Amino acid sequence: MDLLLIGPPGVGKGTQAARLRQALGVPHLSTGDLLRRHVAEGTRLGAAAAAHMQRGDLVPDELVTEMALGQILGPSCAAGVVLDGFPRTPAQAEALDTALAAHGRRLTAVLHLNAPARTLLRRLTGRRTCGGCGDSYHLDTRKPRTPGRCDSCGQRLVQRTDDTAETARTRLAVHARQTQPLLARYHQAGVLHEVDGCGDVGAITRRLLAAVAPYAAGDQDASRSTGWPTSPVRSSLS
Ligand code: AP5
């Protein structure tokens, strides 16, 4: 099952993709996380991407596409993937469709999460991320047990450099201009599902799982006839 979580910055794509990974047994690929790793490790790709990310702009298509497709077509995603943050432009979407088709795959479903701008800005500016393991917290809605320290590994929590109010506004505008137009493409392809990104994290996960349940059932039917492994929807998330 190849799923795409699409939506504006701060809507909860990373939060929900991690929960879908757990529920569906499909790996989660975040191009934002991959790029931040490249920046932290000082690779050539990281050096080329850093200034774009710092400003809240998109990293050029050719850099991101090569990096993302390398992962999506690699062995870890061979049985499917939950995409978070890729594609974000028409050129990236075209490249993804072509690459998947060449491997007999296509996007199973595109899940569009949305929420009002004031909610997105609150989520972005209040986010704090662990500098060690990358776990994500929020000053109001997901506080760590010890202020400023990660519950999982104890490392210091930091604010992402692109989570300031000014850069967050730029990112929202970039999303509206460059990524939102992809919704028409996926609507036309008959794979788009609108999912309300407001409210409790668990309730949003349940909405997403309800949207993909018919496809998960299809996967199980397919696996019975092909012998491929299944990815059952587990309902243990609260
Ligand atoms: P990326 O890291 O992908 O950033 P983004 O899309 O802007 O998304 P975020 O990670 O900010 O938000 P999210 O939707 O994942 O929300 P989260 O779950 O964390 O990309 C960063 C940059 O990399 C881009 O700006 C660009 O420069 C570059 N880039 C990446 N991909 C690219 C591509 N394909 N092409 C070109 N450039 C690319 O939640 C946010 C906060 O809200 C957290 O604190 C969380 O705890 C909280 N929260 C989540 N859900 C809820 C809820 N239901 N209620 C209350 N709080 C909640």
Side-chain angles (χ1 to χ4, degrees):
M1 186 186 292
D2 291 306
L3 298 176
L4 166 60
L5 268 182
I6 195 167
V11 76
K13 300 182 296 298
T15 302
Q16 295 299 333
R19 294 168 70 85
L20 290 185
R21 177 191 60 203
Q22 210 192 326
L24 300 169
V26 179
H28 161 204
L29 183 74
S30 158
T31 42
D33 286 348
L34 277 181
L35 287 166
R36 279 184 289 279
R37 210 171 306 146
H38 276 279
V39 172
E41 289 171 3
T43 66
R44 275 172 60 173
L45 172 54
H52 300 281
M53 297 172 76
Q54 183 77 37
R55 284 195 304 270
D57 287 334
L58 295 185
V59 173
D61 284 336
E62 57 279 13
L63 297 180
V64 176
T65 302
E66 192 185 335
M67 176 193 76
L69 292 184
Q71 296 288 324
I72 294 164
L73 302 177
S76 62
C77 301
V81 63
V82 180
L83 293 173
D84 158 12
F86 179 87
R88 289 195 202 219
T89 65
Q92 292 179 19
E94 193 62 41
L96 175 65
D97 283 354
T98 305
L100 287 178
H103 289 77
R105 290 161 65 180
R106 68 190 288 267
L107 281 175
T108 314
V110 175
L111 305 160
H112 177 219
L113 278 174
N114 210 354
R118 65 178 184 284
T119 304
L120 301 172
L121 282 169
R122 219 172 27 238
R123 288 186 187 172
L124 288 169
T125 53
R127 172 168 50 193
R128 296 295 181 270
T129 309
C130 174
C133 68
D135 264 11
S136 176
Y137 295 83
H138 192 279
L139 293 178
D140 303 320
T141 57
R142 188 165 184 251
K143 297 179 184 179
R145 282 192 296 272
T146 307
R149 292 279 164 190
C150 177
D151 290 350
S152 310
C153 71
Q155 294 275 318
R156 216 162 62 82
L157 301 182
V158 294
Q159 183 175 33
R160 260 171 57 174
T161 55
D162 59 350
D163 275 348
T164 59
E166 192 189 343
T167 310
R169 279 197 193 88
T170 303
R171 289 161 61 203
L172 291 178
V174 166
H175 171 81
R177 199 168 57 242
Q178 296 187 257
T179 306
Q180 209 143 300
L182 296 188
L183 299 178
R185 175 192 188 96
Y186 294 127
H187 175 68
Q188 216 161 17
V191 291
L192 184 69
H193 296 262
E194 294 291 341
V195 179
D196 184 1
C198 294
D200 176 65
V201 169
I204 298 167
T205 309
R206 286 192 290 279
R207 285 173 210 149
L208 291 166
L209 288 175
V212 300
Y215 306 106
D219 261 16
Q220 286 177 307
D221 290 345
S223 75
R224 270 194 287 276
S225 58
T226 61
W228 292 345
T230 58
S231 304
V233 175
R234 289 181 216 126
S235 55
S236 58
L237 293 168
S238 55

